[in-house]
Amino acid sequence: MHIHNISLENSILNSFISEMRDIDIQKDPMRFRRNIERTGEILGYELSKSLNYKSVNIQTPLGTAAEFISTDNIVLCSILRAGVPLHNGLLNYFDKAENAFISAYRHHKSKPESFEIIVEYLACPSLEGKILILADPMLATGQSMVATFEALKPFGKPKAVHLVSVIGAQEGLDYVSKHFDADAHLWIATVDEKLTDKGYIMPGLGDAGDLAFGEKLQH
């Protein structure tokens, strides 16, 4: 897998990540959502450099200009609910993309640190021969990404697969690297060193879904 860790080079993205991590600033859910959205825009821009392009002639009021336009058909799939702001940021740049949504959550067993990924709701167009962008802001264990991709396989074989995340743990990166093809891409804003015993990114930022949309009751 090709891993693109955007934090290896300093940019304005640093400010968005630091605000998302800040325990005081993240109390403003609108600002938190917007920072994830802006991060999605930056990751989408970086991803766009890997797409295919063709030259077209554009008529302007004063003449003709040659421009390069992407020729790829894109399907943007986000994991609910935390993936919604990231989806919006990517969609701001890939505004002609088809859209897919899938729910994936941790079902905890007898021990808090023991869980399985449950996939329920899924709405997806054909993926055959298209570019699949699979977005989830938190790449912790990597199990959600893999379970989601497995659930999407009946919809066709994509021409290329791109994973997009805001924050990941090295363990999660290692896991998806083993379960996706070598030609798949991961675009990630920053990488933390480890996971807690319960599988949460450390230091991370907390629960992205709760911070964006409010705390949920656990069943």
Side-chain angles (χ1 to χ4, degrees), residues 19-179:
E19 288 192 359
M20 281 187 281
R21 291 189 191 271
D22 191 298
I23 194 171
D24 293 317
I25 297 177
Q26 66 179 204
K27 292 177 182 178
D28 181 349
M30 184 173 66
R31 191 169 178 181
F32 184 83
R33 292 193 301 270
R34 180 58 181 139
N35 279 328
I36 289 186
E37 183 177 354
R38 292 193 291 187
T39 300
E41 291 171 348
I42 291 174
L43 293 172
Y45 171 75
E46 294 296 330
L47 187 161
S48 73
K49 298 176 184 179
S50 69
L51 300 178
N52 297 301
Y53 293 83
K54 70 175 182 180
S55 178
V56 297
N57 291 323
I58 305 297
Q59 186 65 47
T60 80
L62 300 178
T64 303
E67 300 292 346
F68 286 88
I69 304 298
S70 175
T71 59
D72 290 314
N73 294 318
I74 295 173
V75 177
L76 173 56
C77 179
S78 292
I79 301 176
L80 301 173
R81 63 180 172 153
V84 172
L86 183 58
H87 187 103
N88 289 338
L90 291 163
L91 193 59
N92 287 344
Y93 278 27
F94 301 117
D95 52 334
K96 296 180 180 179
E98 296 178 274
N99 294 265
F101 296 92
I102 188 168
S103 69
Y105 67 92
R106 294 180 177 185
H107 173 64
H108 291 273
K109 302 178 181 178
S110 56
K111 298 179 180 179
E113 65 274 14
S114 177
F115 61 86
E116 61 180 335
I117 302 299
I118 303 296
V119 174
E120 291 184 337
Y121 175 82
L122 172 57
C124 184
S126 171
L127 299 175
E128 191 67 35
K130 300 175 183 178
I131 304 293
L132 171 63
I133 301 177
L134 184 54
D136 189 9
M138 308 297 284
L139 180 58
T141 66
Q143 294 181 44
S144 293
M145 281 288 198
V146 173
T148 299
F149 185 64
E150 289 296 321
L152 293 172
K153 284 185 176 180
F155 293 87
K157 183 178 181 180
K159 180 171 67 173
V161 177
H162 296 265
L163 310 182
V164 176
S165 289
V166 176
I167 296 179
Q170 187 58 51
E171 181 178 327
L173 270 66
D174 295 340
Y175 187 83
V176 296
S177 294
K178 294 177 182 178
H179 288 81

